[in-house]
Amino acid sequence: MWLVESLASQFSDPVSSVPLCLFRVLFASACLLKFGVETRRGYFHYLDDGSYLHTHHVLSDGLPVSPAVYRYAYIGKFAAAALLLFGIAPQAMAAVLAIWFLLECAIYFKFHTCYFALLAAALAFSPDLGDAFTLSGLLGSQPLLPQYDPTSDGLAAALVVCVTASLYVFSARHKWRSPEFMSGRVIETTLRAIPAAGPQRRFADGIYSKRLVAYFAPADRSLARRRCRPFARLTVGLEAVLPLMLLFGPPLLVLVGVALHLSITMLFPITLAHFSLATVGSYVLFLDPGSVTAALRGLGLA
């Protein structure tokens, strides 16, 4: 397994950098999707004078940055994500995005934003992010994959794997220690609340069918929790073992993670799509780099 071998060699043995470049594209796409959704929801004006967050920070610990700096940085993050997507100064753009996400966490902390900050910081450790899937390859001046096999030391890829694995393990630990989640109450309450709050929400979310919601969230709450409890426990079990499954199991086990994220994303598809894209996108780094590169060449990208 490539990660164990790289750790044993202290990252002195080169590995293919193509999966890392592919993840760069997927992560940058997730960033642009996140930024687009949040702009639609008014995040550009988060620190405007009179807004909730502006008032909150003024009354507590002071503004992290001025509203003007925030707006300039907000525009700049779109440019950084686009340049990262096309492989233009990718290492620097990853660092810029990491700084932005840290600023965003200081303004309004969310675990998903913290996860994005760690992913961007991990990518900033690699000088090989532009080895494949660049703008020149997209325009046809050169192949998307070079004829030679580009390599990297594997450090950035290993960091991304560790970040995603930690996300799953600590998420499973948190849920396992929560009686509300393990009883099925959280799933039942969420399924019940989404359609109930639908008319009051400014932005629609939740695409589970009414029949499915009625089955898992009936009027009888004890029945609802009995039906939701197995799925709560299945979620905890999958999150706990998924990193090991991805690292040591056959590549088809990627579909288990895809199914897990699809089931979660369907609760809040607009809100969680970018998070699932980044998380599932990181799976390409769990797999053997040589096998991923060979599979991509088999698709005729070289």
Side-chain angles (χ1 to χ4, degrees), residues 2 11 20 122-126 129 152-161 285:
W2 81 266
F11 299 101
L20 185 64
L123 289 179
F125 277 91
S126 176
L129 294 175
S152 70
D153 58 14
L155 176 59
L159 290 173
V160 171
V161 168
L285 299 179

Side-chain angles (χ1 to χ4, degrees), residues 110-248:
K110 289 186 287 189
F111 287 107
H112 293 174
T113 303
C114 183
Y115 175 60
F116 271 60
L118 292 172
L119 291 179
L123 289 179
F125 277 91
S126 176
D128 307 302
L129 294 175
D131 286 349
F133 304 110
T134 60
L135 180 61
S136 57
L138 184 65
L139 296 176
S141 59
Q142 66 183 47
L144 284 175
L145 288 180
Q147 297 299 327
Y148 67 94
D149 288 325
T151 60
S152 70
D153 58 14
L155 176 59
L159 290 173
V160 171
V161 168
C162 290
V163 168
T164 299
S166 299
L167 171 78
Y168 282 128
V169 171
F170 285 102
S171 175
R173 178 178 178 271
H174 179 72
K175 292 182 177 73
W176 178 68
R177 297 180 66 182
S178 167
E180 290 80 10
F181 188 88
M182 296 302 292
S183 68
R185 180 181 177 183
V186 171
I187 296 178
E188 175 243 333
T189 303
T190 303
L191 288 172
R192 196 185 302 279
I194 291 174
Q200 288 77 41
R201 290 175 63 86
R202 288 182 59 197
F203 307 100
D205 250 329
I207 56 176
Y208 276 116
S209 68
K210 292 182 179 179
R211 180 176 297 181
L212 185 144
V213 172
Y215 178 80
F216 284 102
D220 185 344
R221 292 185 177 271
S222 62
L223 175 61
R225 290 173 190 174
R226 286 199 304 271
R227 290 175 175 177
C228 292
R229 189 178 299 121
F231 291 93
R233 295 175 177 177
L234 177 62
T235 299
V236 172
L238 285 178
E239 287 186 339
V241 302
L242 188 57
L244 294 177
M245 292 168 61
L246 293 172
L247 283 170
F248 298 103

Side-chain angles (χ1 to χ4, degrees), residues 10-11 33 37 44 53 57 61 66 68 98 124 129 170 176 193 197 210 215 219 227 250 254 287 292:
Q10 298 180 3
F11 299 101
L33 178 59
V37 169
F44 182 73
L53 285 175
H57 283 290
D61 52 358
S66 69
L129 294 175
F170 285 102
W176 178 68
K210 292 182 179 179
Y215 178 80
R227 290 175 175 177
V254 164
L287 306 176
V292 174

Side-chain angles (χ1 to χ4, degrees), residues 19 22-23 26-27 160 275-286:
L22 177 58
F23 175 67
L26 296 173
F27 176 66
V160 171
F275 168 71
S276 289
L277 176 58
T279 310
V280 173
S282 70
Y283 291 178
V284 298
L285 299 179
F286 283 79

Side-chain angles (χ1 to χ4, degrees), residues 17 19 21 25 32 49 51 54 66 72 86 96 133 156 179 183 193 228 238 241 256 267 286 288:
S17 60
C21 296
V25 172
L32 289 171
D49 189 14
S51 68
H54 183 279
S66 69
Y72 282 124
F86 294 118
V96 169
F133 304 110
S183 68
C228 292
L238 285 178
V241 302
V256 175
L267 290 170
F286 283 79
D288 177 69

